[in-house]
Amino acid sequence: MLFSRTLGCPVLSASDASRVGTVAGLVVDPEHASITALRLTDVPSGGDVIPWTDVHAVGPDAVVVEAVASARFTSAASPEVHNPLGKRLLTELGDQVGTLGDIAFDPESGGIGTLHTSRGEQVPGERLLGVGAYAVVIRVAPGSGAQGITGSTAGFPG
């Protein structure tokens, strides 16, 4: 599944199909190369962040969360969150290798498979180092030289 395809999707409760909110973003854990939570808008009440562990299914038309799940946290209570799409993509050496166009992730586990660059390249998710307000930082691929983008393109299909 692609990060960009989930943005704007309705989030529904598995118990009664009621609308919990709309996906505004995904919280990324660079250390584990995974999605850890959903950020929501249009939340009727409560918080606006749902932990990934409460996500039952992610599809092209909607996200379904467990019956007991509702947005439990507010963005103010969660770590600072940055939308990585469109940010500069830098290596750990400071070389710019484009911008981040999209992220392919496993809709079941939330594991990040590949980072899609504006240059059409795919970077394995395990090379993700950090996501900040200014840029997304990746590890240099072994044996790739100064630019550091070359590497395997194995990942999850979009």
Side-chain angles (χ1 to χ4, degrees):
M1 176 66 80
L2 291 175
F3 193 105
S4 62
R5 290 187 186 163
T6 61
L7 298 176
C9 280
V11 178
L12 308 173
S13 168
S15 65
D16 61 4
S18 63
R19 191 177 183 118
V20 177
T22 302
V23 177
L26 302 172
V27 180
V28 174
D29 175 5
E31 183 177 347
H32 296 103
S34 65
I35 309 295
T36 59
L38 299 174
R39 282 188 315 109
L40 308 179
T41 59
D42 306 326
V43 179
S45 63
D48 60 356
V49 177
I50 295 180
W52 189 262
T53 54
D54 289 347
V55 174
H56 180 69
V58 178
D61 300 318
V63 175
V64 179
V65 295
E66 295 297 330
V68 296
S70 61
R72 295 195 252 166
F73 309 100
T74 62
S75 293
S78 64
E80 188 172 348
V81 178
H82 302 285
N83 181 359
L85 301 185
K87 297 266 192 277
R88 290 179 184 223
L89 191 58
L90 303 174
T91 69
E92 61 196 315
L93 301 175
D95 295 318
Q96 183 167 338
V97 292
T99 58
L100 184 61
D102 220 332
I103 298 173
F105 68 94
D106 182 328
E108 291 181 24
S109 69
I112 295 174
T114 53
L115 307 174
H116 297 248
T117 76
S118 58
R119 296 177 181 174
E121 297 168 301
Q122 295 181 9
V123 178
E126 63 268 8
R127 290 185 36 212
L128 180 62
L129 280 176
V131 178
Y134 174 74
V136 174
V137 180
I138 58 171
R139 286 182 189 85
V140 172
S144 65
Q147 285 294 312
I149 195 84
T150 305
S152 166
T153 58
F156 302 107

